[in-house]
Every structure is written in structure tokens, then in C-alpha cells.
Amino acid sequence: MLELRLVQGSLLKKVLEAIKDLVNEANFDCSSTGFSLQAMDSSHVALVALMLRSEGFEHYRCDRTISIGMNLTNMAKMLKCAGNDDIITIKADDGSDTVTFMFESPSQDKISDFEMKLMEIDSEHLGIPDTEYQSSIKMPSQEFLRICKDLSSIGDTVMISVTKDGVKFTTSGDIGTANIVCRQNTSVDEPENATEIKMQEPVSLTFALRYLNSFTKATPLANIVTLSMSADLPIVVEYKIGDMGYVRYYLAPKIEE
Amino acid sequence: ETSQNGLGGFFKRG
């Protein structure tokens, strides 16, 4: 028996919008720790890891560790029917081939339930080592969104270079080239407007903008995004979900031939 | 010219 009640239902709606374009179907793993997911895109170049810790739910019952396979497009369709202020409850009985999403309006005057068919999904789990990254950048998530969107109108890939002077985003295409440099700036009114660069070693890696743009679908979840990079390793793009968990995206770098 | 590797080469399967 699985029963998870999330008072801030809009979080789940935003999570689905953040991952459904990258991954079409995925297994959600439910354990006493929390509700999580790890899935790769169809080309196995990008991976999304979601964690919603059990403490963040108002009610969290998961009698045994289970994995429930869902089509994310269909799940997103159902969650779109929930109001932004609604409380969302996810329910699944043992051995059932369906999951139920229940939406309650804040004043309890409207209660809806949507039942969705589950799927059997063969998924490959990757072991992601805990790594100390050579560079990490914390910046406003809106700023990162803007940079990815702007650069993708010029080129297909972006080189992200971190030095002590700042982080530089470079692209080039048929019409020309573009460089955007962001410097560390922590003297701002609000911490969410700060750009913070931590660098042990300078790093320069190239990535496909198409994927980075897809990751920015998570922008409504967090004001700050963290980019972590080490030479010859996938970048990690992390959006924290309050103090409840995170959505992390991993993207393999492009290699010079 | 750049080429795109998959994640499998970086992270352990299973």
C-alpha cells in the first residue's frame, strides 16, 4: 500500500513539467526514504534524478519498497487537472496495475480522483559516484534559462569555461559567435540573485544546448540552479525543491574528435 | 568537430 499526501501539490505538477520532455516513461521508486526516480533520455546522453524525501509529505505511507512505472506524458496530463493550490495524494494498492491521483481544493469543496494505468518498464539504473567537482556555479535559474535560450538561437553547442574570473558560455554557428561571461556577484540584496563561483581547477566542457534547454523546464521549481563540472565528466545541473529534495540532470560532454 | 558520448561510459551500470 502506497499513500503519499503532498500539501503543496503544485510542486508535483512542476516536477512533471520539468522531466516529461526528456523522458517519456519511467519507474518511480518508493521507499521509506522518499519518492524518487532515475531515468535516461532515449539516446542515453542525459539522465534525470528526482528525489522527494518522505519528510516533505504531510502523510507518507509506503509499506514496502516498490517501483511504479508510469507514462510521464499521461501523468502530466492528469496532474494538469489539479489546481495550483490543490493538495495531491498519490495512492496505489499492492499488486494493482493502476495508480490514483486525488486532488483536494484548499477549502475541501472540490475533490477529484484520476486513475491511471501503470506500465511495466525495463529501466537501466546507473550508479552515479559521489564526486567532488572541480568547479561549481550557483546562479539565478532565470539567468541560466536566458543564457541557454539566447545561445541556442546562434549555435547548437555551448562551451562552458570556468576560470577564476568567472564562467564563460560560448557558442558559434553559421551566423557568428557569442560569448556570455558571468562574474561572481554575491553583493546583492537577495541571495537568490547572487552568482557564486567555486573553483578548485579551471574546467572547460562542451554540451549540446538542446539538452540544457530541456533542463531549464525545471526553472519554476527553484530560484537558484547549481552547475557542477569536472574535466571529462558529465555536468550536473541541480534545482533544489525547497528542503524536500531535488531534480538533478546529468549530461555527457561532447568530445573533440 | 565534436561527437556525443553516452552516459554509460561515465557511470557504472546496474
Side-chain angles (χ1 to χ4, degrees):
Chain A
M1 171 84 184
L2 173 76
E3 196 169 287
L4 319 178
R5 182 176 156 94
L6 184 63
V7 173
Q8 208 181 338
S10 59
L11 281 184
L12 196 61
K13 287 163 68 83
K14 289 177 189 169
V15 163
L16 258 289
E17 292 305 309
I19 60 180
K20 75 173 170 58
D21 290 349
L22 195 66
V23 179
N24 192 33
E25 44 198 44
N27 284 317
F28 284 82
D29 300 313
C30 197
S31 72
S32 55
T33 318
F35 193 58
S36 65
L37 167 151
Q38 192 206 82
M40 276 189 280
D41 79 300
S42 57
S43 59
H44 289 199
V45 166
L47 179 145
V48 56
L50 162 75
M51 170 54 84
L52 295 171
R53 283 184 280 271
S54 53
E55 305 88 76
F57 291 85
E58 190 212 32
H59 169 72
Y60 190 94
R61 179 178 169 188
C62 176
D63 297 343
R64 60 188 177 89
T65 299
I66 56 164
S67 199
I68 50 175
M70 296 196 258
N71 176 303
L72 300 186
T73 308
N74 295 343
M75 186 178 174
K77 274 183 196 168
M78 293 202 164
L79 292 181
K80 268 194 177 166
C81 302
N84 279 332
D85 301 327
D86 282 3
I87 299 164
I88 298 182
T89 303
I90 304 172
K91 284 190 213 177
D93 287 324
D94 285 342
S96 169
D97 58 357
T98 61
V99 61
T100 300
F101 303 108
M102 189 170 87
F103 311 141
E104 298 166 67
S105 66
S107 53
Q108 302 285 315
D109 54 359
K110 181 179 169 191
I111 296 171
S112 326
D113 61 84
F114 289 69
E115 193 181 80
M116 189 178 83
K117 289 177 192 149
L118 295 178
M119 312 175 67
E120 287 281 336
I121 299 168
D122 275 334
S123 67
E124 192 177 27
H125 233 263
L126 290 184
I128 301 166
D130 246 337
T131 312
E132 182 83 15
Y133 285 89
Q134 290 169 345
S135 292
S136 75
I137 302 125
K138 271 189 192 176
M139 64 192 298
S141 58
Q142 281 290 349
E143 188 60 57
F144 181 61
L145 165 75
R146 176 76 198 268
I147 290 170
C148 292
K149 186 166 164 278
D150 287 351
L151 293 187
S152 58
S153 66
I154 315 286
D156 296 330
T157 63
V158 60
M159 185 166 78
I160 307 179
S161 308
V162 187
T163 64
K164 61 179 171 36
D165 296 326
V167 52
K168 184 165 78 168
F169 300 86
T170 304
T171 193
S172 63
D174 294 343
I175 63 165
T177 63
N179 290 295
I180 299 173
V181 178
C182 297
R183 296 185 195 286
Q184 169 143 306
N185 176 14
T186 49
S187 57
V188 288
D189 303 341
E190 302 288 335
E192 62 203 47
N193 294 328
T195 298
E196 198 183 326
I197 297 166
K198 285 188 186 152
M199 190 203 78
Q200 266 103 52
E201 298 276 341
V203 185
S204 188
L205 293 170
T206 300
F207 301 99
L209 276 164
R210 174 166 82 85
Y211 289 101
L212 295 178
N213 265 314
S214 167
F215 302 167
T216 62
K217 296 275 162 64
T219 305
L221 280 168
N223 291 321
I224 292 171
V225 63
T226 307
L227 316 178
S228 303
M229 301 201 301
S230 282
D232 303 323
L233 274 185
I235 188 174
V236 189
V237 180
E238 183 186 64
Y239 296 84
K240 286 209 186 320
I241 305 172
D243 47 13
M244 185 176 186
Y246 55 79
V247 178
R248 285 181 193 150
Y249 301 96
Y250 296 82
L251 176 61
K254 292 226 160 202
I255 309 289
E256 288 288 340
E257 299 224 300
Chain B
E1 273 301 291
T2 55
S3 71
Q4 180 69 68
N5 280 7
L7 283 171
F10 298 99
F11 298 147
K12 221 164 59 187
R13 287 169 200 279

